[in-house]
Amino acid sequence: MFFGITDLWTYVLGAFFIILLPGPNSLYVLATAAQRGVRQGYRGAAGVFIGDTVLMVLAAAGVASLLKSTPILFNVVKYAGAAYLAWIGFQMLRGAWRSWRRPASAEAAPAPERTEEDPFRKALVISLMNPKAILFFISFFIQFVDPAYGTPALSFLILGAICQLFSVLYLSALIFGGTFLANQFRARRKLSAGLSTGVGMLFLGFGAKLATATLS
């Protein structure tokens, strides 16, 4: 046993593969990096890190139990999160449609300046408005913490740090991969619009999946 953690290497392997699973957080960071570059991609990644840290702390503090025992609260958070993910998907689809319809002659003209939403804040909201993530963290973490250990907070801290390390490495790969793809597709407007359409549809799917999620 390592600081109250049972079967540490099983946890490391499981956390690694869980981080690799595609979700709205990682997809948003990838899309942000592809559209706005490395710096903004890392701003989005920072929002994911903070959001996941808050969820881990809430899970360790017993908020998951509160959601399980209060279905109304779970449903309020669930539907709000689903609506937000669907709204992001709709915005991406609308942007892709505008890009698709824009005349080719407009590509050479400088684009009008516009105020972009802060990717940090947006990624943070995406992370926090997902009650299933809170339930997942506590159901996953609790399997590897010895209930008899005197300071379980230390166990949760180590488990969370391992998970966040994998998240940093994975999101960094997505950011640099996204900027590389953006450079390749920049001259191919319709291909870029098609990619944005696919990402938007995935966000609508994430929203629908969360809206139909249950406590079981």
Side-chain angles (χ1 to χ4, degrees):
M1 189 171 63
F2 177 75
F3 290 104
I5 301 172
T6 61
D7 209 351
L8 175 64
W9 293 110
T10 299
Y11 169 80
V12 169
L13 187 63
F16 175 76
F17 285 108
I18 287 168
I19 291 296
L20 291 181
L21 291 175
N25 292 348
S26 57
L27 197 59
Y28 176 72
V29 170
L30 175 62
T32 299
Q35 295 170 2
R36 302 173 60 184
V38 171
R39 182 177 180 180
Q40 296 303 314
Y42 270 110
R43 284 188 62 82
V48 173
F49 301 147
I50 298 299
D52 285 350
T53 299
V54 171
L55 292 184
M56 292 177 192
V57 171
L58 291 176
V63 172
S65 300
L66 177 62
L67 289 177
K68 285 182 178 180
S69 61
T70 316
I72 293 178
L73 177 61
F74 175 84
N75 287 330
V76 168
V77 179
K78 177 181 75 171
Y79 289 124
Y84 188 67
L85 292 178
W87 178 80
I88 292 175
F90 174 75
Q91 293 292 101
M92 289 182 173
L93 290 176
R94 187 173 67 172
W97 176 249
R98 289 177 176 175
S99 176
W100 185 275
R101 295 191 62 187
R102 188 167 60 237
S105 59
E107 293 296 311
E113 293 188 4
R114 57 177 180 173
T115 302
E116 298 280 4
E117 185 171 349
D118 182 10
F120 172 83
R121 183 172 62 249
K122 198 168 185 177
L124 179 62
V125 174
I126 291 174
S127 295
L128 294 178
M129 297 189 73
N130 189 350
K132 292 293 286 186
I134 303 176
L135 298 176
F136 163 76
F137 278 127
I138 192 63
S139 64
F140 184 62
F141 282 179
I142 201 170
Q143 300 176 48
F144 301 93
V145 177
D146 183 1
Y149 187 66
T151 55
L154 178 59
S155 305
F156 281 107
L157 178 62
I158 295 173
L159 294 177
I162 293 172
C163 196
Q164 291 289 51
L165 174 61
F166 287 146
S167 182
V168 169
L169 296 176
Y170 177 54
L171 291 181
S172 294
L174 291 181
I175 288 169
F176 286 102
T179 53
F180 173 79
L181 290 176
N183 291 332
Q184 301 302 311
F185 293 155
R186 188 154 286 135
R188 301 173 177 85
R189 176 171 51 89
K190 290 189 176 181
L191 183 59
S192 178
L195 184 63
S196 295
T197 299
V199 174
M201 292 297 294
L202 284 174
F203 265 91
L204 291 176
F206 286 134
K209 185 177 180 180
L210 180 57
T212 57
T214 64
L215 286 168
S216 58

